[in-house]
mmCIF file of all heavy atoms in Angstrom:
data_model
loop_
_atom_site.group_PDB
_atom_site.id
_atom_site.type_symbol
_atom_site.label_atom_id
_atom_site.label_comp_id
_atom_site.label_asym_id
_atom_site.label_seq_id
_atom_site.Cartn_x
_atom_site.Cartn_y
_atom_site.Cartn_z
ATOM 1 N N ASN A 124 -23.922 -33.808 8.280
ATOM 2 C CA ASN A 124 -24.125 -32.453 8.806
ATOM 3 C C ASN A 124 -24.869 -31.616 7.723
ATOM 4 O O ASN A 124 -24.724 -31.872 6.524
ATOM 5 C CB ASN A 124 -22.840 -31.788 9.212
ATOM 6 C CG ASN A 124 -22.277 -32.330 10.471
ATOM 7 O OD1 ASN A 124 -23.028 -32.782 11.354
ATOM 8 N ND2 ASN A 124 -20.998 -32.270 10.635
ATOM 9 N N PHE A 125 -25.584 -30.611 8.199
ATOM 10 C CA PHE A 125 -26.224 -29.702 7.288
ATOM 11 C C PHE A 125 -25.899 -28.269 7.752
ATOM 12 O O PHE A 125 -26.075 -27.934 8.843
ATOM 13 C CB PHE A 125 -27.744 -29.894 7.251
ATOM 14 C CG PHE A 125 -28.366 -29.143 6.086
ATOM 15 C CD1 PHE A 125 -28.553 -29.774 4.821
ATOM 16 C CD2 PHE A 125 -28.805 -27.836 6.215
ATOM 17 C CE1 PHE A 125 -29.131 -29.078 3.787
ATOM 18 C CE2 PHE A 125 -29.397 -27.182 5.137
ATOM 19 C CZ PHE A 125 -29.562 -27.814 3.957
ATOM 20 N N VAL A 126 -25.386 -27.468 6.759
ATOM 21 C CA VAL A 126 -25.009 -26.097 7.061
ATOM 22 C C VAL A 126 -25.702 -25.109 6.157
ATOM 23 O O VAL A 126 -25.726 -25.329 4.902
ATOM 24 C CB VAL A 126 -23.452 -25.950 6.893
ATOM 25 C CG1 VAL A 126 -22.997 -24.547 7.309
ATOM 26 C CG2 VAL A 126 -22.717 -26.995 7.680
ATOM 27 N N LEU A 127 -26.215 -24.073 6.719
ATOM 28 C CA LEU A 127 -26.750 -22.911 6.001
ATOM 29 C C LEU A 127 -25.795 -21.746 6.172
ATOM 30 O O LEU A 127 -25.616 -21.281 7.284
ATOM 31 C CB LEU A 127 -28.130 -22.581 6.468
ATOM 32 C CG LEU A 127 -28.719 -21.238 5.934
ATOM 33 C CD1 LEU A 127 -28.852 -21.294 4.414
ATOM 34 C CD2 LEU A 127 -30.049 -20.905 6.608
ATOM 35 N N ILE A 128 -25.166 -21.272 5.096
ATOM 36 C CA ILE A 128 -24.267 -20.184 5.138
ATOM 37 C C ILE A 128 -24.910 -18.967 4.446
ATOM 38 O O ILE A 128 -25.221 -19.030 3.295
ATOM 39 C CB ILE A 128 -22.930 -20.499 4.427
ATOM 40 C CG1 ILE A 128 -22.267 -21.726 5.067
ATOM 41 C CG2 ILE A 128 -21.958 -19.346 4.502
ATOM 42 C CD1 ILE A 128 -21.056 -22.224 4.331
ATOM 43 N N VAL A 129 -25.079 -17.928 5.216
ATOM 44 C CA VAL A 129 -25.673 -16.718 4.716
ATOM 45 C C VAL A 129 -24.544 -15.652 4.572
ATOM 46 O O VAL A 129 -24.103 -15.064 5.569
ATOM 47 C CB VAL A 129 -26.780 -16.160 5.596
ATOM 48 C CG1 VAL A 129 -27.443 -14.904 4.968
ATOM 49 C CG2 VAL A 129 -27.826 -17.279 5.802
ATOM 50 N N ASP A 130 -24.112 -15.419 3.374
ATOM 51 C CA ASP A 130 -23.109 -14.323 3.090
ATOM 52 C C ASP A 130 -23.796 -12.993 2.971
ATOM 53 O O ASP A 130 -25.004 -12.954 2.666
ATOM 54 C CB ASP A 130 -22.331 -14.658 1.854
ATOM 55 C CG ASP A 130 -20.901 -14.160 1.899
ATOM 56 O OD1 ASP A 130 -20.587 -13.321 2.776
ATOM 57 O OD2 ASP A 130 -20.041 -14.599 1.073
ATOM 58 N N GLU A 131 -23.093 -11.897 3.169
ATOM 59 C CA GLU A 131 -23.630 -10.553 3.204
ATOM 60 C C GLU A 131 -24.809 -10.474 4.104
ATOM 61 O O GLU A 131 -25.811 -9.808 3.805
ATOM 62 C CB GLU A 131 -24.063 -10.177 1.737
ATOM 63 C CG GLU A 131 -22.949 -10.243 0.709
ATOM 64 C CD GLU A 131 -21.870 -9.242 0.928
ATOM 65 O OE1 GLU A 131 -22.140 -8.127 1.413
ATOM 66 O OE2 GLU A 131 -20.698 -9.547 0.552
ATOM 67 N N ALA A 132 -24.677 -11.118 5.324
ATOM 68 C CA ALA A 132 -25.806 -11.218 6.194
ATOM 69 C C ALA A 132 -26.251 -9.862 6.824
ATOM 70 O O ALA A 132 -27.296 -9.761 7.370
ATOM 71 C CB ALA A 132 -25.419 -12.159 7.337
ATOM 72 N N HIS A 133 -25.358 -8.846 6.687
ATOM 73 C CA HIS A 133 -25.747 -7.496 7.178
ATOM 74 C C HIS A 133 -26.893 -6.968 6.366
ATOM 75 O O HIS A 133 -27.529 -5.972 6.795
ATOM 76 C CB HIS A 133 -24.550 -6.559 7.148
ATOM 77 C CG HIS A 133 -23.868 -6.495 5.820
ATOM 78 N ND1 HIS A 133 -22.968 -7.407 5.406
ATOM 79 C CD2 HIS A 133 -24.047 -5.647 4.744
ATOM 80 C CE1 HIS A 133 -22.579 -7.096 4.123
ATOM 81 N NE2 HIS A 133 -23.236 -6.052 3.723
ATOM 82 N N ASN A 134 -27.197 -7.521 5.194
ATOM 83 C CA ASN A 134 -28.298 -7.097 4.330
ATOM 84 C C ASN A 134 -29.642 -7.776 4.713
ATOM 85 O O ASN A 134 -30.658 -7.493 4.107
ATOM 86 C CB ASN A 134 -28.006 -7.281 2.869
ATOM 87 C CG ASN A 134 -26.923 -6.356 2.368
ATOM 88 O OD1 ASN A 134 -26.811 -5.206 2.799
ATOM 89 N ND2 ASN A 134 -26.066 -6.876 1.497
ATOM 90 N N LEU A 135 -29.563 -8.733 5.644
ATOM 91 C CA LEU A 135 -30.813 -9.423 6.020
ATOM 92 C C LEU A 135 -31.801 -8.459 6.710
ATOM 93 O O LEU A 135 -31.434 -7.611 7.479
ATOM 94 C CB LEU A 135 -30.485 -10.585 7.017
ATOM 95 C CG LEU A 135 -29.805 -11.765 6.419
ATOM 96 C CD1 LEU A 135 -29.279 -12.675 7.567
ATOM 97 C CD2 LEU A 135 -30.774 -12.621 5.542
ATOM 98 N N SER A 136 -33.103 -8.633 6.322
ATOM 99 C CA SER A 136 -34.113 -7.881 6.957
ATOM 100 C C SER A 136 -34.396 -8.469 8.356
ATOM 101 O O SER A 136 -34.035 -9.592 8.632
ATOM 102 C CB SER A 136 -35.386 -7.879 6.164
ATOM 103 O OG SER A 136 -35.897 -9.200 6.021
ATOM 104 N N PHE A 137 -35.105 -7.704 9.194
ATOM 105 C CA PHE A 137 -35.424 -8.230 10.530
ATOM 106 C C PHE A 137 -36.393 -9.434 10.383
ATOM 107 O O PHE A 137 -36.353 -10.345 11.245
ATOM 108 C CB PHE A 137 -36.006 -7.128 11.411
ATOM 109 C CG PHE A 137 -34.979 -6.110 11.878
ATOM 110 C CD1 PHE A 137 -34.874 -4.869 11.303
ATOM 111 C CD2 PHE A 137 -34.074 -6.473 12.869
ATOM 112 C CE1 PHE A 137 -33.992 -3.938 11.811
ATOM 113 C CE2 PHE A 137 -33.183 -5.582 13.365
ATOM 114 C CZ PHE A 137 -33.084 -4.305 12.783
ATOM 115 N N LYS A 138 -37.185 -9.410 9.368
ATOM 116 C CA LYS A 138 -38.146 -10.529 9.173
ATOM 117 C C LYS A 138 -37.360 -11.759 8.812
ATOM 118 O O LYS A 138 -37.699 -12.907 9.373
ATOM 119 C CB LYS A 138 -39.173 -10.206 8.105
ATOM 120 C CG LYS A 138 -40.116 -9.135 8.506
ATOM 121 C CD LYS A 138 -41.162 -8.872 7.435
ATOM 122 C CE LYS A 138 -42.169 -7.781 7.838
ATOM 123 N NZ LYS A 138 -43.172 -7.527 6.795
ATOM 124 N N LEU A 139 -36.353 -11.650 7.953
ATOM 125 C CA LEU A 139 -35.555 -12.877 7.637
ATOM 126 C C LEU A 139 -34.709 -13.313 8.832
ATOM 127 O O LEU A 139 -34.464 -14.538 9.003
ATOM 128 C CB LEU A 139 -34.667 -12.568 6.427
ATOM 129 C CG LEU A 139 -35.370 -12.606 5.048
ATOM 130 C CD1 LEU A 139 -34.365 -12.546 3.961
ATOM 131 C CD2 LEU A 139 -36.245 -13.870 4.914
ATOM 132 N N LEU A 140 -34.188 -12.386 9.625
ATOM 133 C CA LEU A 140 -33.471 -12.781 10.817
ATOM 134 C C LEU A 140 -34.340 -13.545 11.771
ATOM 135 O O LEU A 140 -33.862 -14.458 12.421
ATOM 136 C CB LEU A 140 -32.900 -11.495 11.499
ATOM 137 C CG LEU A 140 -31.741 -10.834 10.788
ATOM 138 C CD1 LEU A 140 -31.416 -9.493 11.455
ATOM 139 C CD2 LEU A 140 -30.484 -11.735 10.878
ATOM 140 N N GLU A 141 -35.619 -13.203 11.853
ATOM 141 C CA GLU A 141 -36.506 -13.967 12.672
ATOM 142 C C GLU A 141 -36.757 -15.354 12.080
ATOM 143 O O GLU A 141 -36.839 -16.387 12.877
ATOM 144 C CB GLU A 141 -37.850 -13.216 12.760
ATOM 145 C CG GLU A 141 -38.952 -13.921 13.548
ATOM 146 C CD GLU A 141 -38.567 -14.177 15.030
ATOM 147 O OE1 GLU A 141 -37.625 -13.543 15.511
ATOM 148 O OE2 GLU A 141 -39.221 -15.065 15.679
ATOM 149 N N GLU A 142 -36.809 -15.467 10.725
ATOM 150 C CA GLU A 142 -36.941 -16.813 10.136
ATOM 151 C C GLU A 142 -35.713 -17.675 10.483
ATOM 152 O O GLU A 142 -35.842 -18.901 10.734
ATOM 153 C CB GLU A 142 -37.120 -16.681 8.660
ATOM 154 C CG GLU A 142 -38.338 -15.953 8.212
ATOM 155 C CD GLU A 142 -39.649 -16.753 8.491
ATOM 156 O OE1 GLU A 142 -39.526 -17.928 8.778
ATOM 157 O OE2 GLU A 142 -40.698 -16.086 8.518
ATOM 158 N N ILE A 143 -34.585 -17.077 10.438
ATOM 159 C CA ILE A 143 -33.370 -17.791 10.759
ATOM 160 C C ILE A 143 -33.325 -18.237 12.237
ATOM 161 O O ILE A 143 -32.886 -19.325 12.573
ATOM 162 C CB ILE A 143 -32.089 -16.928 10.431
ATOM 163 C CG1 ILE A 143 -31.936 -16.761 8.925
ATOM 164 C CG2 ILE A 143 -30.826 -17.468 11.088
ATOM 165 C CD1 ILE A 143 -30.887 -15.808 8.506
ATOM 166 N N ARG A 144 -33.830 -17.399 13.111
ATOM 167 C CA ARG A 144 -33.928 -17.754 14.517
ATOM 168 C C ARG A 144 -34.801 -19.014 14.666
ATOM 169 O O ARG A 144 -34.492 -19.911 15.484
ATOM 170 C CB ARG A 144 -34.532 -16.587 15.332
ATOM 171 C CG ARG A 144 -34.516 -16.902 16.870
ATOM 172 C CD ARG A 144 -35.306 -15.855 17.609
ATOM 173 N NE ARG A 144 -36.743 -15.908 17.318
ATOM 174 C CZ ARG A 144 -37.572 -16.741 17.876
ATOM 175 N NH1 ARG A 144 -37.165 -17.660 18.763
ATOM 176 N NH2 ARG A 144 -38.898 -16.761 17.572
ATOM 177 N N LEU A 145 -35.929 -19.049 13.969
ATOM 178 C CA LEU A 145 -36.830 -20.195 14.030
ATOM 179 C C LEU A 145 -36.148 -21.477 13.514
ATOM 180 O O LEU A 145 -36.295 -22.545 14.113
ATOM 181 C CB LEU A 145 -38.132 -19.883 13.256
ATOM 182 C CG LEU A 145 -39.017 -18.783 13.832
ATOM 183 C CD1 LEU A 145 -40.163 -18.513 12.839
ATOM 184 C CD2 LEU A 145 -39.522 -19.086 15.197
ATOM 185 N N LEU A 146 -35.326 -21.341 12.438
ATOM 186 C CA LEU A 146 -34.596 -22.514 11.949
ATOM 187 C C LEU A 146 -33.587 -23.006 12.944
ATOM 188 O O LEU A 146 -33.376 -24.211 13.096
ATOM 189 C CB LEU A 146 -33.912 -22.140 10.626
ATOM 190 C CG LEU A 146 -34.789 -21.831 9.411
ATOM 191 C CD1 LEU A 146 -33.944 -21.448 8.214
ATOM 192 C CD2 LEU A 146 -35.630 -23.124 9.063
ATOM 193 N N SER A 147 -32.982 -22.072 13.685
ATOM 194 C CA SER A 147 -31.968 -22.461 14.664
ATOM 195 C C SER A 147 -32.528 -23.224 15.817
ATOM 196 O O SER A 147 -31.801 -23.836 16.578
ATOM 197 C CB SER A 147 -31.164 -21.227 15.171
ATOM 198 O OG SER A 147 -32.015 -20.403 15.934
ATOM 199 N N ASN A 148 -33.853 -23.181 16.004
ATOM 200 C CA ASN A 148 -34.520 -23.923 17.067
ATOM 201 C C ASN A 148 -34.613 -25.417 16.796
ATOM 202 O O ASN A 148 -34.924 -26.156 17.719
ATOM 203 C CB ASN A 148 -35.912 -23.335 17.346
ATOM 204 C CG ASN A 148 -35.826 -21.965 18.044
ATOM 205 O OD1 ASN A 148 -34.873 -21.649 18.702
ATOM 206 N ND2 ASN A 148 -36.891 -21.193 17.858
ATOM 207 N N MET A 149 -34.402 -25.792 15.587
ATOM 208 C CA MET A 149 -34.598 -27.217 15.202
ATOM 209 C C MET A 149 -33.481 -28.053 15.833
ATOM 210 O O MET A 149 -32.300 -27.939 15.512
ATOM 211 C CB MET A 149 -34.563 -27.398 13.700
ATOM 212 C CG MET A 149 -35.743 -26.698 12.988
ATOM 213 S SD MET A 149 -35.752 -26.992 11.213
ATOM 214 C CE MET A 149 -37.239 -26.173 10.764
ATOM 215 N N GLU A 150 -33.906 -28.976 16.754
ATOM 216 C CA GLU A 150 -33.021 -29.830 17.442
ATOM 217 C C GLU A 150 -33.590 -31.246 17.514
ATOM 218 O O GLU A 150 -34.803 -31.442 17.367
ATOM 219 C CB GLU A 150 -32.671 -29.321 18.881
ATOM 220 C CG GLU A 150 -32.030 -27.953 18.946
ATOM 221 C CD GLU A 150 -31.826 -27.486 20.319
ATOM 222 O OE1 GLU A 150 -32.336 -28.157 21.289
ATOM 223 O OE2 GLU A 150 -31.231 -26.430 20.511
#
Side-chain angles (χ1 to χ4, degrees):
N124 285 332
F125 192 90
V126 184
L127 169 62
I128 302 173
V129 183
D130 211 344
E131 304 293 330
H133 53 276
N134 290 325
L135 285 168
S136 65
F137 285 106
K138 290 183 178 180
L139 282 190
L140 286 171
E141 177 61 18
E142 296 294 341
I143 289 173
R144 184 190 70 81
L145 295 175
L146 291 176
S147 68
N148 287 336
M149 294 183 176
E150 298 178 354

